[in-house]
Amino acid sequence: MKILKTLVLLAVGAASLTGCGDGGVQSPDFTAELLGLTLSTSDTDATPVAVDEGEPLQYTVAAGRRVTLDLVGRYTAPPGSDDETEDRAISGGDFTITPSDAGTVEEGEFRGSRPGQVTVTAERGGVESNAIIFNVTAAVIESIEIEPASASIPVGASQDFNAVGVYSDDERRPVLVNWTIDDPTVATLTNATNSSTVTATAAPGAVIGDAAVLTATRPASGGIPELTDTANITIDNRTVVGLVDGSAECTPSTIGIGFTSQCTVEVSYSDGSTEDAGTLVTWATDGPGDALVDVDSATGEVTGVAPGAATITATLTGGGSPSTASATVTVLSSANARCQQPLVAPDAIAGGVTSVLCVGCQIVNAGNAVDDDADTFASINTVLGLLSATATLTVNSTPNTNEITPSGPVGFVIAQPPGLLLSAEVLSTLTVSTINGSGAVIQSGGAVPQPSDPLPILPATVTLLGTIGGQDAALISFEPTTAFNGLALTFNAGLASVLPSINVFQACAVANPDVAP
């Protein structure tokens, strides 16, 4: 029992000689003294440089690369140690960089900020380490990235992709790469060799939902291995490119007060197609035009308010180029004559012809029928009772090849002194015809066919208009079905009973017998 107690006491005594975590046996009051500091690095990003003995250690490192520093302290060994000193790794220290703006040391890592030679030392407890020198070179590329990383390309459209190099100093700069795509039936590439930017265009035949992978490759160079990155491409629905130049038009382009014109414009799409813009645009007129027309911003319908020319502009609401397109609507003073689309000079030419039997018949002041003046008129004068005698006022568009597509009734605004113009007599003596560029009749409306015109006569309408210029006025019109170049009004003298002459105020390529201005 005594022997056991003795062994326990010996063990406790030995323990009291052990140092505080230094692994040696020492007295309780021993404190290791820092004798020196050694600074170095074993980081693989720092390449050692051969130096003469006694010269500071040197390393080569690219700007921005983080290099772990190894700081080792040489301490006195506790009593009983085999050596007088021992080395211990130190996790902290005060570092000095020269030049001070050439790099940083944070959490034990050196990072050069620019090319040049940088000297680093450490200090701990008043003890300074040896100096090591970093020869900082230019930053090196570490990876590449494609921007954008993915994109939806509308049918028929293109998308630019950029290759960006990510460098050791965290800078991002364009880099030359080779571009490839895994499925050329989805998209084709332009400028794909040794370029920093590539254009991917939806391939002919590509449809919504098709997908492909774009790859950028930087070949191995200067000790940097091959670098790659990818981006995903998906084909999307077509998009609006812009309005079609020159496609804006208002039909008819000339209207009377109180009448309307319909403005339209076409929009182009990324797949090359064009369509009526419809609700993709809003319509408006300029400041001066506000006094001339009313514009429905949603539909493009224009109503004449006062004489003059108004610019009507369509604006693309969703963006695109060009985003605006304009057309002109001219409001004529002939509105009071119910001409929705008057034929007026200089784009219309008036003339006349009389049959050989119409001796003494005349077409007087034919030009007044196209002057858009409600106070002037042309006259068709005949001699009563001459059978088969006719006199015709013609109004033709210029040039003669300018065909007019029927969009409503056509006709003439006619007048006589009060009490002489009766609707029944007008129907029995007048014929309205559409003519071609040579003056040949295409279609006619009225009550009695001309002897020289075997074509069927379509029904004509006579609408009393009240008084114009002190005369009783009427609109005689019919609805053609075939394109034409001009109009003709024929007065059949042989049927006239009390109407030796007719005055003509206006020729209407589009007449409106139903709605008064």
Side-chain angles (χ1 to χ4, degrees), residues 261-419:
S261 174
Q262 180 60 57
C263 297
T264 59
V265 68
E266 289 188 341
V267 63
S268 62
Y269 288 90
S270 57
D271 62 356
S273 63
T274 60
E275 293 180 6
D276 185 90
T279 58
L280 297 177
V281 296
T282 56
W283 296 89
T285 187
D286 53 12
D290 290 341
L292 306 179
V293 294
D294 287 331
V295 181
D296 188 317
S297 61
T299 66
E301 185 179 76
V302 179
T303 303
V305 174
T311 300
I312 315 300
T313 300
T315 301
L316 195 59
T317 56
S321 180
S323 60
T324 61
S326 299
T328 300
V329 172
T330 301
V331 183
L332 302 174
S333 61
S334 59
N336 58 5
R338 285 206 185 180
C339 268
Q340 184 169 343
Q341 185 181 350
L343 291 174
V344 294
D347 294 328
I349 298 175
V353 61
T354 60
S355 68
V356 293
L357 296 178
C358 201
V359 179
C361 297
Q362 294 177 305
I363 308 296
V364 180
N365 298 322
N368 289 348
V370 293
D371 65 358
D372 189 41
D373 187 341
D375 294 326
T376 62
F377 51 84
S379 296
I380 306 175
N381 298 330
T382 65
V383 177
L384 295 178
L386 294 176
L387 295 177
S388 301
T390 61
T392 301
L393 172 71
T394 61
V395 177
N396 217 319
S397 61
T398 303
N400 288 338
T401 56
N402 183 21
E403 280 198 339
I404 301 171
T405 300
S407 60
V410 299
F412 288 85
V413 176
I414 58 176
Q416 271 289 303

Side-chain angles (χ1 to χ4, degrees), residues 14 62 87-88 98 105 133 151 183 204 209 296 303-304 318 327 350 407 442-443 489:
D87 292 338
R88 304 177 192 173
T98 305
V105 175
I133 296 174
D183 190 347
D296 188 317
T303 303
S407 60
I442 299 174
Q443 291 180 290
L489 179 64

